[in-house]
Amino acid sequence: MADINLKEITLIVGVITACYWNSLFCGFVFDDVSAILDNKDLHPSTPLKTLFQNDFWGTPMSEERSHKSYRPLTVLTFRLNYLLSELKPMSYHLLNMIFHAVVSVIFLKVCRLFLDNKSSVIASLLFAVHPIHTEAVTGVVGRAELLSSIFFLAAFLSYTRSKGPDNSIVWTPIALTVFLVAVATLCKEQGITVVGICCVYEVFIAQGYTLPLLCTTAGQFLRGKGSIPFSMLQTLVKLIVLMFSTLLLVVIRVQVIQSQLPVFTRFDNPAAVSPTPTRQLTFNYLLPVNAWLLLNPSELCCDWTMGTIPLIESLLDIRNLATFTFFCFLGTLGVFSLRYSGDSSKTVLMALCLMALPFIPASNLFFPVGFVVAERVLYVPSMGFCILVAHGWQKISTKSVFKKLSWICLSMVILTHSLKTFHRNWDWESEYTLFMSALKVNKNNAKLWNNVGHALENEKNFERALKYFLQATHVQPDDIGAHMNVGRTYKNLNRTKEAEESYMMAKSLMPQIIPGKKYAARIAPNHLNVYINLANLIRANESRLEEADQLYRQAISMRPDFKQAYISRGELLLKMNKPLKAKEAYLKALELDRNNADLWYNLAIVYIELKEPNEALKNFNRALELNPKHKLALFNSAILMQESGEVKLRPEARKRLLSYINEEPLDANGYFNLGMLAMDDKKDNEAEIWMKKAIKLQADFRSALFNLALLYSQTSKELKALPILEELLRYYPDHIKGLILKGDILMNQKKDILGAKKCFERILEMDPSNVQGKHNLCVVYFEEKDLLKAERCLLETLALAPHEEYIQRHLNIVRDKISSSSFIEPIFPTSKISSVEGEKIPTESVKKSRGESRETQIVKTSDNKSQSKSNKQLGKDRDEETPHKTTKDIKEIEKKRVAALKRLEEIERILNGE
């Protein structure tokens, strides 16, 4: 085997760069969304051991909805990408391109085992530019093929060194081979098939046996006319070691998937659930279909499921001729390669092995797979195809009559393949371009119509999305997912009646429930989301909450491990004011997934409803342990700490709010609550800064406007508060406390009695029983020297609040003044009217308003795209509630009350002439 040189490597890498550089500008599309964007195993906060417990998509292997695709080493490389660039797709595509170049270079080294130098380079170039590889290279999830192929070829090359001098066994390369096979399998399952290739290589290439020779030797041994040669015994030992290692890997793999096959539906692979002979005829026909894609990759499609390839239901179907022709050709090559011992037959044999053996896991031979055809699984089989083509070209080009023509044809093939690959890469730029390109090839696949609809839906183009979803239902009327998509889109368009009808249609297509039996129908678990989506829709109607609950319970009865049903039911039970049952639902969900930060967050919200703030805080903290950047947990736990009144918790609350605004820099609520914390800590300048930032982000932020004005009022900056109050009342003319504060400033600072009077009269128009507004209006009457009107006003106020002593005191003062002969000065100096600070009239005070900003949200952890994506807010409408008062607050209020009473006594002494 000749070594490869730098020029050859440079040529291959240069060609790959020219073909695939535009893939760097593609995004995450199709399966990339589930494997990259939605996969929490990529996040540094997820323990590394979780990668070895979950499947390729981040789903625990123990769950029924798991695809059982165990590829932890591939996910580890995704995690490395995330560490370097988080979710920027360019680095992911660049690494894929590098891996493809590595595979192509190693493949060149493999080709040197069976081809001459020139043919090896041609085979490697064909492999490097073949358009069938765009799905494996440009699609990020195709990295599983790339990584597996690297170790696949490395394992094979290692095994070729296991034959020592005098046909002895060299065990080190064999041990390395077994290790590399295990690594290849941890990248993708098909890696284990390299063992079969090693066995074929050992028997027919390394030892030079042919099938007739093996049959003759075996026959003589069985008849007792001869013994097994020593070289053959050595070969047998090596094969036993390989097979035993393979069996061990298979056992471990079966244990990992817990002896469960993944759940696929008839839509994923219609032939898998078809009767005999339809199943056999269709599966056999798929082999020439895959071979044709290698031979003529002119029409490529990202999804070949559902109705892409119609079932062959009769022996008279014309497509059976293609199957027959394919097997005849394959059989001819097989007989030639096994019967003769020349170099050409060995090359053909290894090419056939590379084509056939790695394809076995995708062939439906041992177990059904979740697709009809998948271009990326042809990545390794295409190696055998390229060797076969290069070998054929070598045979033709040696004949002088065809030499020039063979070079022209070869150059045309490489050029057209390169251009096709380059053009095909642009199809992977976005989901919309990808699925639209697929529809040009195949219009009978409802999944493609659905996926174009999803792409438009992500762009909020619901009207156009609806057209594609409806077309999917026409192409495949029994597609449950399509009807769910139609229902969700109608809901987004606020056409709830049509949405419910579509969900009901999808529900009617579901298998019937068998009472008392576990739901075991072979149906996609995400189809059960129809119950969730329908329940989410109808529970908007308060009279149908029980009906919605029944749907959730129905889904749970069909699948007791349906986590999403427990989550959604818990949310509904909170809405129904049944927090204890909601708590049970979330605890059940946590039994199924204890590493879900959203579930711990939701349970914390339940404890808030149960008035158990300490337990709520514990669960918020648990959510943040699992996901330190959980935005809602950061925000609501900080508010909970703030409202607890415990000074020692304020630094942590501030830290969490700072983390929150780092994650959500455009959310005014974070800045507002930092301002409230600063006010609690008497950091007035800092509070002012935070409040202004909140108002800058949200000009009509009610609580921020009011509390900023209140802050100015409390820090003797009343005139700065006035324009803030004007802005507040422009947005909210009915803001009572804003009117009280404005009236107080107008009365005390601006000496604008008429303006203050309008404020208090406006309050009484909205709320005639407002004691503070009524009392302050009485003061205005007195300032206007209308004592009789002030007396009547105070009498009416006293009727509203008969137990308020200060009103009775003021009434007595007015009456004394009326009965006196002299009227020298105001009874109630304007600086002593009922104010926002609570110092002058102690029972009437305006406190910091924090309730308007408080939102508690239940997080819906959706596992399927077809599920509603909206987060329901479950916060109380606590408009300007006074926060919980600590013992210190109560003492301060009592001091202010005593001081106010002393001032009232002084006023009385002055009025009585003392």
Side-chain angles (χ1 to χ4, degrees), residues 512-524:
Q512 295 298 312
I513 303 173
I514 304 173
K517 292 187 177 181
K518 185 180 178 181
Y519 182 66
R522 307 304 282 178
I523 188 167

Side-chain angles (χ1 to χ4, degrees), residues 39 140 192 207 304 310 322 412 415 513 559 606 706 852 894:
N39 192 348
V140 177
I192 201 170
Q207 302 300 329
W304 295 79
M412 289 296 295
L415 179 62
I513 303 173
R559 245 185 78 197
V606 172
F706 176 76
E852 291 170 304
E894 187 59 32

Side-chain angles (χ1 to χ4, degrees), residues 87 130 565 647 816 826:
L87 295 177
H130 203 296
V647 177
D816 289 343

Side-chain angles (χ1 to χ4, degrees), residues 303-334:
D303 194 308
W304 295 79
T305 56
M306 304 188 89
T308 303
I309 299 176
L311 297 174
I312 298 179
E313 300 178 325
S314 169
L315 291 170
L316 300 178
D317 193 308
I318 192 68
R319 290 175 293 172
N320 288 320
L321 287 176
T323 307
F324 178 76
T325 303
F326 172 77
F327 278 108
C328 286
F329 178 73
L330 199 65
T332 302
L333 290 178

Side-chain angles (χ1 to χ4, degrees), residues 705 709 719-733 738-739 742-743 745-746 750 752 755 759:
L705 288 166
L719 296 182
K720 291 183 71 173
L722 205 54
I724 303 296
L725 289 169
E726 294 287 355
E727 191 73 5
L728 171 67
L729 295 170
R730 184 169 69 86
Y731 289 113
Y732 307 102
L739 287 166
K742 181 183 176 183
I745 293 172
L746 289 174
K750 301 286 286 185
D752 183 358
C759 291

